[in-house]
Amino acid sequence: MQIVIQTRLSGHSTTFLLDEDAYQALQAYFEHARTRLKRDPDCEEILRDLEQSIGEKLSPENRVLSRKEVDLVFEQVGAVDAGNSDAVAAQPGRPRRLCRIEEGKWLFGVCQGLAAYSSIRVDWVRSIFVIASVFSGGIPVLIYLVLMFALPLVRTHDEYSASLHAHSDAT
């Protein structure tokens, strides 16, 4: 006995008839995609686009689609990739770690660390620090001194990136 499941995909008014194995493969594909994209702010939009693309490649000819046909569509669409590590690092929900970065430092690397933490160019961070110091009576200088002793030291930007990726993989 063959179990047939009716399902709809985003952007399609037609109902697709899938055998049980094909339906489970489709569910597994979307679940894997959701897991890979969970930190992407556009996750839901990407999943809708995937559904629409898969629906366009499936042929809803009022016949039951098999697992083999669904697998062929998956090969055409391809695996879901969350992007390269640089794109992940630039996302708003990325892991961040405040530290001093020795590479490119002027004094103790605090501005380098703040720039890496906030994804702002270091010359902007330094300019803001100087302007804030002049107009606030030097309070940012005291904050800089506290950060100089409180923050851990990282030698290079590559080492900083590696520590972020190690930290995000551990969570």
Side-chain angles (χ1 to χ4, degrees):
M1 180 167 79
Q2 181 183 22
I3 297 176
V4 177
I5 300 171
Q6 294 181 353
T7 188
R8 290 185 184 263
L9 297 174
S10 292
H12 297 278
S13 59
T14 58
T15 301
F16 295 93
L17 301 174
L18 304 169
D19 70 16
E20 188 175 21
D21 289 340
Y23 181 76
Q24 288 175 350
L26 192 63
Q27 275 190 315
Y29 182 85
F30 286 126
E31 193 58 41
H32 175 73
R34 186 177 306 283
T35 303
R36 294 292 305 258
L37 298 169
K38 69 181 174 186
R39 292 188 180 182
D40 192 315
D42 299 323
C43 176
E44 293 303 317
E45 181 181 352
I46 293 169
L47 289 172
R48 277 193 306 274
D49 290 346
L50 269 174
E51 279 189 42
Q52 188 169 0
S53 178
I54 288 171
E56 289 169 359
K57 292 176 182 11
L58 291 173
S59 56
E61 302 166 349
N62 290 334
R63 64 180 182 85
V64 178
L65 300 170
S66 68
R67 167 75 187 253
K68 189 175 188 178
E69 292 170 293
V70 171
D71 286 340
L72 287 173
V73 170
F74 292 156
E75 287 177 19
Q76 291 175 2
V77 173
V80 176
D81 185 15
N84 63 19
S85 59
D86 293 336
V88 172
Q91 290 179 359
R94 79 189 195 293
R96 301 188 303 173
R97 183 174 153 225
L98 189 56
C99 63
R100 297 184 299 142
I101 300 177
E102 200 170 57
E103 178 184 37
K105 70 179 182 177
W106 280 6
L107 296 174
F108 295 97
V110 173
C111 288
Q112 283 284 353
L114 288 172
Y117 180 80
S118 61
S119 299
I120 299 174
R121 289 181 28 177
V122 71
D123 52 344
W124 281 102
V125 173
R126 289 176 178 145
S127 299
I128 292 168
F129 173 76
V130 169
I131 291 169
S133 295
V134 168
F135 290 110
S136 69
I139 292 174
V141 174
L142 294 174
I143 294 170
Y144 187 95
L145 292 172
V146 169
L147 291 175
M148 178 180 71
F149 292 109
L151 296 178
L153 179 66
V154 176
R155 301 273 178 221
T156 65
H157 287 281
D158 291 337
E159 189 178 317
Y160 175 76
S161 296
S163 71
L164 289 181
H165 294 301
H167 177 60
S168 67
D169 292 342
T171 58

